[in-house]
């Protein structure tokens, strides 16, 4: 499943942040988004995932194909690690959760309540959900937050495995993950500031 973004312009809180952005993501490809904090990477990923509409432009190929992981871990604290994964597997119609547990070394924590996990363990659980979605396109916003070096390696290995089976991933990150893929710097697509109207201009 390919994803195409064509002449996309997006806004945050009604203020344009990025404009004229186009790219294509194909099976087996990782695309790394770069750019300073606040430039609009999160807004871009949310727009691609269908969580907010674009100002203009088009996103094709995303319908029911994307698994999005944002800043929230998306876990239920009163459920155990196993129960969380089984919940998400049922939502997406997936099967066994063993692969997800193993990928992030969660087997020894399987019966622990998610609310009792450390920040890094919660993040590992949150990311492991991707493996039970069955969706080919992963859209990931700063996925390595709270992860130690070993857990970052687990994440990178999970992405490599996903790409090897024909999946694809768009990842906004400031760290080097050692993945084979392309890098897209969104800096050149920063939107021009809006022109002040006559009333506002009188006070500038």
């Amino acid at each position: 499943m390919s994803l195409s973004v064509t002449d996309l312009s997006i806004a945050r809180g009604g203020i344009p942040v990025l404009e004229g952005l186009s790219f294509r993501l194909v099976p087996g490809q990782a695309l790394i988004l770069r750019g300073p904090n606040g430039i609009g990477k999160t807004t871009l990923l949310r727009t691609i995932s269908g969580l907010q509409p674009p100002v203009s432009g088009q996103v094709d190929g995303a319908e029911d194909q994307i698994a999005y992981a944002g800043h929230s871990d998306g876990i239920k604290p009163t459920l155990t690690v196993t129960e969380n994964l089984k919940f998400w597997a049922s939502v997406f119609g997936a099967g066994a959760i063993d692969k997800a547990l193993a990928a992030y070394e969660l087997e020894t924590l399987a019966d622990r309540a998610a609310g009792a996990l450390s920040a890094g363990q919660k993040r590992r659980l949150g990311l492991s959900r991707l493996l039970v979605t069955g969706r080919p396109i992963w859209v990931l916003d700063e996925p390595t937050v709270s992860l130690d070096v070993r857990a970052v390696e687990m994440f990178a290995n999970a992405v490599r495995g996903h790409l090897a089976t024909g999946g694809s991933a768009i990842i906004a990150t400031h760290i080097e993950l050692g993945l084979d893929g392309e890098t897209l710097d969104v800096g050149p697509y920063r939107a021009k500031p809006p022109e002040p109207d006559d009333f506002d201009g009188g006070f500038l």
Side-chain angles (χ1 to χ4, degrees):
M1 171 62 68
S2 297
L3 176 74
S4 295
V5 171
T6 306
D7 199 23
L8 193 68
S9 295
I10 60 176
R12 180 177 58 240
I15 305 298
V17 288
L18 297 173
E19 60 186 7
L21 183 63
S22 298
F23 64 85
R24 181 176 172 82
L25 185 74
V26 299
Q29 179 189 6
L31 180 66
I32 309 299
L33 295 184
R34 303 287 193 195
N37 291 336
I39 197 170
K41 299 187 298 297
T42 293
T43 304
L44 173 60
L45 295 181
R46 288 177 54 82
T47 303
I48 290 171
S49 300
L51 298 175
Q52 66 180 71
V55 174
S56 62
Q58 194 164 328
V59 178
D60 294 309
E63 300 85 358
D64 298 323
Q65 300 299 315
I66 284 179
Y68 172 76
H71 295 161
S72 172
D73 294 322
I75 59 179
K76 296 182 179 295
T78 59
L79 298 183
T80 66
V81 168
T82 293
E83 289 168 341
N84 268 280
L85 284 174
K86 285 184 175 179
F87 169 79
W88 285 108
S90 68
V91 168
F92 289 98
I97 64 170
D98 295 347
K99 181 181 177 182
L101 287 170
Y104 287 92
E105 299 181 1
L106 294 168
E107 298 98 330
T108 60
L109 301 171
D111 296 325
R112 185 175 299 181
L117 300 175
S118 70
Q121 290 167 340
K122 289 176 182 176
R123 193 60 171 170
R124 281 157 53 195
L125 175 56
L127 291 172
S128 72
R129 294 179 302 129
L130 296 166
L131 295 168
V132 302
T133 65
R135 295 196 168 183
I137 304 172
W138 290 358
V139 177
L140 313 175
D141 192 4
E142 298 293 349
T144 60
V145 171
S146 299
L147 296 184
D148 59 20
V149 173
R150 172 62 183 148
V152 170
E153 182 181 353
M154 295 176 201
F155 167 73
N157 286 336
V159 174
R160 290 189 190 98
H162 180 62
L163 301 179
T165 58
S168 58
I170 306 174
I171 307 170
T173 181
H174 293 287
I175 72 169
E176 179 55 55
L177 296 170
L179 297 173
D180 292 330
E182 297 183 14
T183 298
L184 174 61
D185 181 359
V186 298
Y189 301 95
R190 188 193 299 267
K192 297 182 180 68
E195 294 291 335
D197 57 30
D198 290 339
F199 177 83
D200 290 337
F203 292 89
L204 296 178

